[in-house]
Amino acid sequence: MTDADRVNIPVVENNIANVEIAFGYSSSQNFSKAVNISKNIPSYSVKGDGKSATHSVVLPITEVDLIINLYDLVGGWKSSKMLINGHTATKKDLTYYGVGCFRSRLKAYNPQQYCFGERDYEVNIWGCKRLNMPVYEWGGGWLDYGEFDKSGVWHIDKDRIKDELESAIKENELCPILSRKRVLETLEKLPKTIDPREDNNWEYRTNYEEINGTFKEVAIGIKPNIKNINRFVIGDYEPNWVENFQDGEVESVGRIRIDLDSKDNKEGDRKKNKSDLYGSIVFTIILFIAIFMLL
């Protein structure tokens, strides 16, 4: 089974897909069991008589475990078929992608939190971790889609983010929980520009680079304040994410040490370099005294 075997099945927004399973007579010992299970489903119907009869049921995809159990009984027969919203489908459509994730959600201790991520690498504001666009405490990923202007303000590339979200939504659209509308509303709620010096919801993501022979901490992107990222989530549920730092432990280095060609930053660098020079001289003197005493 490969990705080429997967059928693109159109799903209407906020509409739960229907799955139809149909099968004919089989000499398999599972035949009578499949018929008995089907008869207990309200949508059960049979066309024809005797060995020429075709048995069928229609179930919402939210009943995925029941659908899989029935398909496991009849799926190997030549007379059987499975349709999702009228399109031929395979068991892979029920066990992988969005539906497979939905099955795991049903078993989760906190189903809503499950979708927003229970682990650091799954944390997301979209309400679907299968979109593979988490929000990392240290930034990176889709938060790098953008650029700084000359004043140090970050401009988010929402078009690129939307393009990747749409592709991931298409791959997982059979999930009855996933809402394209809510995902795009969340994207719209994000600011177009971010200045970490003015907005406490964000900080600069930095790296040390050599500038004119001196290593300085410069801005290479942005990173979120995980504590406040909930404000971008659409809907009533507020996910709970455990932070890896205490209040006050993380400060926005962008306000003091980041190199944005400001006069104050340059003056601070000169003072720091001067202090480092004095420290080196004192250390050298102490080292010579220690060697002299040993001799």
Side-chain angles (χ1 to χ4, degrees), residues 56-124:
S56 65
V57 296
V58 178
L59 288 162
I61 205 164
T62 50
E63 299 293 336
V64 59
D65 285 335
L66 174 57
I67 295 169
I68 288 176
N69 289 339
L70 180 58
Y71 191 74
D72 282 342
L73 294 175
V74 307
W77 306 342
K78 291 182 178 181
S79 63
S80 68
K81 65 178 181 180
M82 179 169 63
L83 305 176
I84 299 181
N85 282 353
H87 295 261
T88 302
T90 68
K91 186 178 178 181
K92 186 175 181 180
D93 292 299
L94 301 175
T95 53
Y96 290 85
Y97 312 110
V99 183
C101 189
F102 173 72
R103 292 182 70 199
S104 298
R105 182 186 192 272
L106 294 175
K107 303 172 186 176
Y109 175 75
N110 186 338
Q112 288 181 302
Q113 183 68 44
Y114 173 86
C115 295
F116 283 96
E118 299 172 302
R119 301 173 178 84
D120 290 345
Y121 58 86
E122 297 173 334
V123 170
N124 71 90

Side-chain angles (χ1 to χ4, degrees), residues 7 35 42 182 190 205 210:
V7 178
V35 171
R182 185 180 63 190
L190 286 172
R205 189 164 70 89
E210 185 177 0

Side-chain angles (χ1 to χ4, degrees), residues 19-242:
V19 181
E20 178 184 357
I21 295 180
F23 59 93
Y25 173 78
S26 173
S27 59
S28 169
Q29 60 182 359
N30 289 328
F31 176 72
S32 59
K33 185 176 181 180
V35 171
N36 290 332
I37 291 176
S38 298
K39 286 182 177 179
N40 289 319
I41 299 174
S43 62
Y44 171 71
S45 65
V46 58
K47 294 181 180 179
D49 299 313
K51 294 184 177 181
S52 299
T54 298
H55 308 264
S56 65
V57 296
V58 178
L59 288 162
I61 205 164
T62 50
E63 299 293 336
V64 59
D65 285 335
L66 174 57
I67 295 169
I68 288 176
N69 289 339
L70 180 58
Y71 191 74
D72 282 342
L73 294 175
V74 307
W77 306 342
K78 291 182 178 181
S79 63
S80 68
K81 65 178 181 180
M82 179 169 63
L83 305 176
I84 299 181
N85 282 353
H87 295 261
T88 302
T90 68
K91 186 178 178 181
K92 186 175 181 180
D93 292 299
L94 301 175
T95 53
Y96 290 85
Y97 312 110
V99 183
C101 189
F102 173 72
R103 292 182 70 199
S104 298
R105 182 186 192 272
L106 294 175
K107 303 172 186 176
Y109 175 75
N110 186 338
Q112 288 181 302
Q113 183 68 44
Y114 173 86
C115 295
F116 283 96
E118 299 172 302
R119 301 173 178 84
D120 290 345
Y121 58 86
E122 297 173 334
V123 170
N124 71 90
I125 59 177
W126 319 108
C128 177
K129 61 184 181 180
R130 280 285 305 178
L131 300 184
N132 294 322
M133 295 186 73
V135 178
Y136 296 125
E137 177 186 334
W138 54 87
W142 63 271
L143 284 174
D144 278 348
Y145 297 167
E147 61 182 1
F148 283 116
D149 61 24
K150 293 182 179 180
S151 64
V153 175
W154 182 260
H155 294 256
I156 296 180
D157 187 348
K158 287 193 176 185
D159 289 338
R160 182 178 177 186
I161 296 172
K162 182 180 179 181
D163 183 69
E164 292 203 10
L165 284 172
E166 291 279 23
S167 296
I169 290 171
K170 181 66 177 177
E171 186 174 276
N172 297 281
E173 63 186 351
L174 286 178
C175 174
I177 302 300
L178 177 60
S179 169
R180 176 180 178 274
K181 180 175 181 291
R182 185 180 63 190
V183 170
L184 296 184
E185 284 178 349
T186 299
L187 176 61
E188 183 63 28
K189 194 175 181 181
L190 286 172
K192 295 180 180 179
T193 60
I194 296 172
D195 186 350
R197 294 163 299 187
E198 303 294 335
D199 189 346
N200 290 330
N201 296 302
W202 304 90
E203 299 175 7
Y204 283 112
R205 189 164 70 89
T206 64
N207 192 20
Y208 283 94
E209 296 182 4
E210 185 177 0
I211 300 176
N212 297 326
T214 302
F215 281 93
K216 295 182 180 180
E217 190 175 16
V218 298
I220 59 173
I222 56 171
K223 60 182 181 180
N225 182 335
I226 295 294
K227 188 175 181 180
N228 296 331
I229 203 70
N230 277 345
R231 67 192 290 265
F232 299 110
V233 173
I234 299 295
D236 296 331
Y237 182 71
E238 294 187 1
N240 180 35
W241 297 308
V242 178

